[in-house]
């Protein structure tokens, strides 16, 4: 209960002579606040108290252009494929029970030097194959993305088909078609899993 003198209610000012105030349209107001006519805000970290970043120098821009180029991506994929393939080759050679054995003399126990030599040969062979496939896939994906102007799952499927088809085409047309389909499906699955 309010004690004392009651407060005077604040009345809106009277409209000018001959004019009625426009009615307040809440639906129009809501369109500007949360509807179709709402203006997006430009996100500025400096306005929120963030650390402003200085403008990039020409050297930084040049490094960014080099790192986003197809040649750099291809070289990076080639080196990564070589390392991954070498590790995979050495691993599979390590668990293979026939490494180092001579087919002419199956009862002779191989020496450690022969086993390591076979492991190294298999590692180098896998490394070369992985490097070639990685470079081909990365190069075609970059070129397809540049041509299409979009970065989505279709780029990896198209480049997977081109890479698989090119690898399989050496064994014939049927192998090329199977390689295209298989590599495209594998690329789509990997892209779906990573995204």
């Amino acid at each position: 209960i309010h004690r004392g003198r009651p407060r005077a209610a604040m009345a809106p000012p009277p409209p000018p002579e001959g004019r009625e105030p426009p009615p307040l349209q809440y639906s129009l107001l809501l369109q500007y606040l949360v509807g179709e006519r709402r203006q997006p805000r430009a996100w500025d970290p400096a306005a929120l108290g963030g650390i402003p970043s200085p403008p990039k120098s020409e050297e930084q821009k040049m490094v960014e252009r080099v790192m986003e180029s197809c040649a750099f991506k291809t070289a990076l994929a080639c080196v990564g494929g070589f390392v991954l393939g070498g590790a995979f080759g050495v691993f599979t050679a390590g668990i293979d029970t026939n490494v180092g054995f001579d087919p002419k003399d199956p009862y002779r126990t191989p020496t450690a030097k022969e086993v390591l030599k076979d492991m190294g040969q298999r590692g180098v062979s896998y490394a070369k194959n992985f490097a070639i496939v990685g470079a081909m896939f990365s190069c075609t994906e970059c070129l397809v993305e540049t041509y299409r102007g979009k970065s989505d799952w279709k780029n990896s499927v198209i480049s997977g088909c081109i890479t698989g088809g090119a690898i399989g085409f050496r064994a014939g047309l049927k192998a090329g078609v199977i390689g295209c389909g298989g590599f495209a499906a594998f690329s789509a699955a990997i892209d779906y899993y990573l995204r």
Side-chain angles (χ1 to χ4, degrees), residues 88-170:
F88 187 70
V90 170
F91 173 74
T92 56
I95 60 174
D96 189 3
T97 57
N98 295 326
V99 171
F101 280 96
D102 186 9
K104 296 175 185 174
D105 188 11
Y107 296 107
R108 188 179 69 80
T109 303
T111 63
K113 184 177 180 181
E114 292 171 341
V115 171
L116 289 174
K117 182 181 176 185
D118 279 359
M119 288 176 71
Q121 288 175 347
R122 187 181 292 192
V124 169
S125 173
Y126 274 61
K128 287 179 186 177
N129 291 335
F130 273 58
I132 290 169
V133 170
M136 285 177 63
F137 180 80
S138 180
C139 182
T140 53
E141 184 179 33
C142 185
L143 292 174
V144 167
E145 183 177 329
T146 304
Y147 176 75
R148 291 184 68 230
K150 295 178 183 177
S151 179
D152 57 6
W153 62 273
K154 293 179 184 177
N155 295 338
S156 60
V157 171
I158 293 169
S159 57
C161 180
I162 292 170
T163 304
I167 292 170
F169 192 67
R170 294 183 298 178

